[in-house]
Amino acid sequence: MDFLTEYRVPIGPGAKTFVDWLTTNFELFFDQLANFLSGVVAVLLFILQTPHALIVVAVVTALSWWLRRSIGITLFTLLGLLLIINQGYWKETTETLALVLAASFVSMAVGIPLGIAAARRPMFYAFMRPVLDLMQTIPTFVYLIPALILFGLGMVPGLIATVIFAIPAPIRLTRLGIISTPPSLVEAAVSFGATPSQVLRKIEIPFAMPQIMAGLTQTIMLSLSMVVIAALVGANGLGVPVLRALNTVNVAKGFEAGLCIVVLAIILDRLFRSSDEGEGA
């Protein structure tokens, strides 16, 4: 068996060479991208942290009623947010929420167009599919290393790692929704003179909207699953107390922070899930 290890395929050195090349040739681009993403997170934090916590709770509760028209969901949102304040994790929760919202925005902004392109061009999706598989299956800690090198410590590398992990969901579900559009509807639109862009905007995207919304909720859940890992690279939020509890074997702190993550996940899932999936707190 020794002959198999005499010459190792240079996968690791090749990856290092590629990251070094990116660092050398695209330093300005990554600096500008980091500044932009930091600005997005800073704006979200300003919106969430500047008003009094109870004002934010009132606004989110009103938003939940406006979106869902469900007393159960609205009551759960109110009590869940008040519980987070009561446990003393409001600041960390807003930091996690800012990271999740920013990651979800980037993932959907990039994922929906890529999903549409994949639905329209099967060869493009055939090329993209193994890349998406790699993004979801490779251990997250592996691409945290180049993210740290390219962006440094802080919220940005955590945001980038979260986007890489979460973006396959909106791409795949958007593509699924587009290709599931009944051909008869498309043929009828074309026969009446609709252009490809009109077919996309007025038939395919509305028909695919439940799958697109499912992609959004999946992106939010995947982003929340990354909060502890993002804390390893300096991202603030609920992952920090969880990580500290793990390091000190503090069961109480770990359970409190973990419960806050669960409450936030349920609230976001109920607010953004498609109405076709059903209601309930």
Side-chain angles (χ1 to χ4, degrees), residues 2 4 14 33 39-40 51 78-79 91 95 98 103-104 116 135-136 145 151 161 165 180 188 197 206 211 245 254 266:
D2 291 342
L4 291 176
L33 179 60
V40 172
L78 175 62
L79 296 179
K91 181 175 182 292
E95 291 167 343
S104 299
I116 293 172
M135 292 167 69
Q136 284 194 306
I145 301 171
F151 298 102
F165 183 65
S180 298
S197 62
Q211 284 80 9
I266 294 175

Short mmCIF file of all heavy atoms in Angstrom, two decimals, residues 2 4 14 33 39-40 51 78-79 91 95 98 103-104 116 135-136 145 151 161 165 180 188 197 206 211 245 254 266:
data_model
loop_
_atom_site.label_atom_id
_atom_site.label_comp_id
_atom_site.label_asym_id
_atom_site.label_seq_id
_atom_site.Cartn_x
_atom_site.Cartn_y
_atom_site.Cartn_z
N ASP A 2 2.17 1.13 0.28
CA ASP A 2 3.02 2.32 0.37
C ASP A 2 3.10 3.06 -0.96
O ASP A 2 3.29 4.27 -0.99
CB ASP A 2 4.41 1.93 0.84
CG ASP A 2 4.43 1.49 2.29
OD1 ASP A 2 3.45 1.81 2.99
OD2 ASP A 2 5.41 0.82 2.70
N LEU A 4 0.87 3.78 -2.91
CA LEU A 4 -0.24 4.73 -3.08
C LEU A 4 0.04 6.06 -2.41
O LEU A 4 -0.58 7.07 -2.75
CB LEU A 4 -1.53 4.13 -2.50
CG LEU A 4 -2.13 2.94 -3.26
CD1 LEU A 4 -3.34 2.40 -2.50
CD2 LEU A 4 -2.53 3.36 -4.67
N GLY A 14 -2.46 22.87 -3.50
CA GLY A 14 -3.15 23.60 -4.57
C GLY A 14 -4.16 24.59 -4.01
O GLY A 14 -4.28 25.72 -4.50
N LEU A 33 -15.54 44.39 -0.33
CA LEU A 33 -16.65 43.50 0.00
C LEU A 33 -16.85 43.42 1.50
O LEU A 33 -17.99 43.47 2.01
CB LEU A 33 -16.39 42.11 -0.58
CG LEU A 33 -17.46 41.04 -0.31
CD1 LEU A 33 -18.80 41.46 -0.90
CD2 LEU A 33 -17.03 39.69 -0.89
N GLY A 39 -21.00 47.16 6.64
CA GLY A 39 -21.97 48.25 6.65
C GLY A 39 -23.40 47.74 6.72
O GLY A 39 -24.23 48.31 7.45
N VAL A 40 -23.69 46.66 5.98
CA VAL A 40 -25.05 46.09 6.02
C VAL A 40 -25.38 45.60 7.43
O VAL A 40 -26.47 45.88 7.97
CB VAL A 40 -25.16 44.93 5.01
CG1 VAL A 40 -26.49 44.19 5.18
CG2 VAL A 40 -25.04 45.46 3.58
N PRO A 51 -33.52 51.58 19.16
CA PRO A 51 -34.75 51.75 19.95
C PRO A 51 -34.70 50.91 21.21
O PRO A 51 -33.90 49.98 21.33
CB PRO A 51 -35.86 51.26 18.99
CG PRO A 51 -35.22 51.14 17.65
CD PRO A 51 -33.78 50.89 17.89
N LEU A 78 -44.55 37.46 20.88
CA LEU A 78 -44.47 38.40 22.00
C LEU A 78 -43.82 37.75 23.23
O LEU A 78 -42.86 38.28 23.80
CB LEU A 78 -45.88 38.91 22.35
CG LEU A 78 -45.97 39.82 23.59
CD1 LEU A 78 -45.17 41.09 23.39
CD2 LEU A 78 -47.44 40.13 23.90
N LEU A 79 -44.33 36.58 23.63
CA LEU A 79 -43.81 35.93 24.82
C LEU A 79 -42.37 35.45 24.63
O LEU A 79 -41.55 35.51 25.55
CB LEU A 79 -44.71 34.75 25.21
CG LEU A 79 -46.15 35.12 25.62
CD1 LEU A 79 -46.95 33.87 25.94
CD2 LEU A 79 -46.14 36.07 26.81
N LYS A 91 -29.15 41.72 23.55
CA LYS A 91 -28.08 42.24 22.69
C LYS A 91 -27.53 41.14 21.80
O LYS A 91 -27.35 41.33 20.58
CB LYS A 91 -26.96 42.84 23.55
CG LYS A 91 -25.81 43.45 22.75
CD LYS A 91 -24.81 44.11 23.69
CE LYS A 91 -23.68 44.77 22.90
NZ LYS A 91 -22.81 43.77 22.24
N GLU A 95 -27.74 40.74 17.61
CA GLU A 95 -26.54 40.52 16.80
C GLU A 95 -26.70 39.27 15.93
O GLU A 95 -26.34 39.29 14.73
CB GLU A 95 -25.31 40.39 17.71
CG GLU A 95 -24.93 41.68 18.40
CD GLU A 95 -23.93 41.50 19.53
OE1 GLU A 95 -23.78 40.35 20.00
OE2 GLU A 95 -23.31 42.49 19.93
N ALA A 98 -29.20 40.11 13.15
CA ALA A 98 -28.58 40.91 12.09
C ALA A 98 -27.76 40.03 11.17
O ALA A 98 -27.80 40.16 9.93
CB ALA A 98 -27.71 42.01 12.70
N ALA A 103 -27.18 37.40 6.01
CA ALA A 103 -26.84 36.19 5.27
C ALA A 103 -28.00 35.72 4.40
O ALA A 103 -27.80 35.29 3.25
CB ALA A 103 -26.44 35.08 6.25
N SER A 104 -29.22 35.83 4.92
CA SER A 104 -30.39 35.43 4.14
C SER A 104 -30.60 36.34 2.94
O SER A 104 -30.94 35.88 1.84
CB SER A 104 -31.63 35.43 5.03
OG SER A 104 -31.49 34.53 6.10
N ILE A 116 -32.92 30.38 -11.21
CA ILE A 116 -33.63 30.62 -12.48
C ILE A 116 -32.76 30.21 -13.65
O ILE A 116 -33.21 29.55 -14.60
CB ILE A 116 -34.06 32.09 -12.59
CG1 ILE A 116 -35.12 32.41 -11.52
CG2 ILE A 116 -34.60 32.40 -13.97
CD1 ILE A 116 -35.45 33.88 -11.41
N MET A 135 -20.48 22.48 -1.34
CA MET A 135 -20.71 23.58 -0.41
C MET A 135 -21.48 23.13 0.82
O MET A 135 -21.29 23.66 1.92
CB MET A 135 -21.46 24.71 -1.12
CG MET A 135 -20.65 25.42 -2.18
SD MET A 135 -21.66 26.47 -3.26
CE MET A 135 -22.12 27.76 -2.12
N GLN A 136 -22.38 22.16 0.65
CA GLN A 136 -23.21 21.71 1.77
C GLN A 136 -22.59 20.58 2.57
O GLN A 136 -22.98 20.37 3.73
CB GLN A 136 -24.59 21.28 1.27
CG GLN A 136 -25.51 22.44 0.92
CD GLN A 136 -26.94 21.99 0.76
OE1 GLN A 136 -27.23 21.09 -0.01
NE2 GLN A 136 -27.84 22.62 1.48
N ILE A 145 -11.18 28.80 7.29
CA ILE A 145 -9.76 29.17 7.25
C ILE A 145 -9.49 30.21 6.15
O ILE A 145 -8.94 31.28 6.42
CB ILE A 145 -8.88 27.92 7.08
CG1 ILE A 145 -9.11 26.96 8.24
CG2 ILE A 145 -7.41 28.31 6.98
CD1 ILE A 145 -8.45 25.61 8.06
N PHE A 151 -10.76 37.88 5.01
CA PHE A 151 -11.60 38.92 5.62
C PHE A 151 -11.22 39.26 7.05
O PHE A 151 -11.74 40.24 7.60
CB PHE A 151 -13.08 38.49 5.58
CG PHE A 151 -13.61 38.30 4.20
CD1 PHE A 151 -13.77 37.04 3.67
CD2 PHE A 151 -13.96 39.39 3.42
CE1 PHE A 151 -14.26 36.85 2.39
CE2 PHE A 151 -14.45 39.22 2.13
CZ PHE A 151 -14.60 37.95 1.61
N ALA A 161 -19.10 32.52 5.58
CA ALA A 161 -19.23 31.08 5.81
C ALA A 161 -20.70 30.67 5.87
O ALA A 161 -21.08 29.61 5.35
CB ALA A 161 -18.51 30.70 7.11
N PHE A 165 -22.69 28.09 3.22
CA PHE A 165 -23.41 26.93 3.71
C PHE A 165 -24.89 26.94 3.34
O PHE A 165 -25.49 25.90 3.07
CB PHE A 165 -23.25 26.86 5.24
CG PHE A 165 -23.90 25.66 5.87
CD1 PHE A 165 -23.44 24.38 5.61
CD2 PHE A 165 -24.97 25.81 6.72
CE1 PHE A 165 -24.03 23.27 6.20
CE2 PHE A 165 -25.58 24.71 7.32
CZ PHE A 165 -25.10 23.44 7.05
N SER A 180 -41.15 23.16 -12.19
CA SER A 180 -42.43 22.52 -11.87
C SER A 180 -43.63 23.27 -12.47
O SER A 180 -44.76 22.80 -12.33
CB SER A 180 -42.60 22.42 -10.35
OG SER A 180 -41.59 21.63 -9.77
N ALA A 188 -49.50 28.45 -23.20
CA ALA A 188 -50.60 29.40 -23.39
C ALA A 188 -50.09 30.83 -23.40
O ALA A 188 -50.52 31.66 -24.23
CB ALA A 188 -51.64 29.21 -22.29
N SER A 197 -39.16 36.94 -20.75
CA SER A 197 -39.12 37.65 -19.47
C SER A 197 -40.51 37.81 -18.87
O SER A 197 -40.68 37.74 -17.65
CB SER A 197 -38.48 39.03 -19.66
OG SER A 197 -39.25 39.83 -20.54
N PRO A 206 -44.43 33.50 -10.02
CA PRO A 206 -45.59 33.34 -9.13
C PRO A 206 -45.89 31.87 -8.81
O PRO A 206 -46.23 31.55 -7.66
CB PRO A 206 -46.73 33.99 -9.91
CG PRO A 206 -46.06 34.99 -10.80
CD PRO A 206 -44.76 34.34 -11.18
N GLN A 211 -42.08 27.47 -3.35
CA GLN A 211 -40.76 26.88 -3.23
C GLN A 211 -39.70 27.94 -2.89
O GLN A 211 -38.77 27.67 -2.13
CB GLN A 211 -40.37 26.18 -4.54
CG GLN A 211 -41.06 24.85 -4.76
CD GLN A 211 -42.48 24.99 -5.30
OE1 GLN A 211 -42.90 26.09 -5.65
NE2 GLN A 211 -43.20 23.88 -5.34
N ALA A 245 -20.01 28.69 27.30
CA ALA A 245 -20.58 27.65 28.14
C ALA A 245 -19.93 26.29 27.85
O ALA A 245 -19.69 25.49 28.77
CB ALA A 245 -22.08 27.57 27.92
N GLY A 254 -25.33 27.53 28.79
CA GLY A 254 -25.52 26.89 27.50
C GLY A 254 -26.99 26.65 27.20
O GLY A 254 -27.44 26.87 26.07
N ILE A 266 -37.86 29.61 15.79
CA ILE A 266 -39.30 29.35 15.63
C ILE A 266 -40.02 30.61 15.16
O ILE A 266 -40.87 30.57 14.26
CB ILE A 266 -39.90 28.83 16.95
CG1 ILE A 266 -39.32 27.46 17.29
CG2 ILE A 266 -41.42 28.74 16.85
CD1 ILE A 266 -39.76 26.92 18.64
#
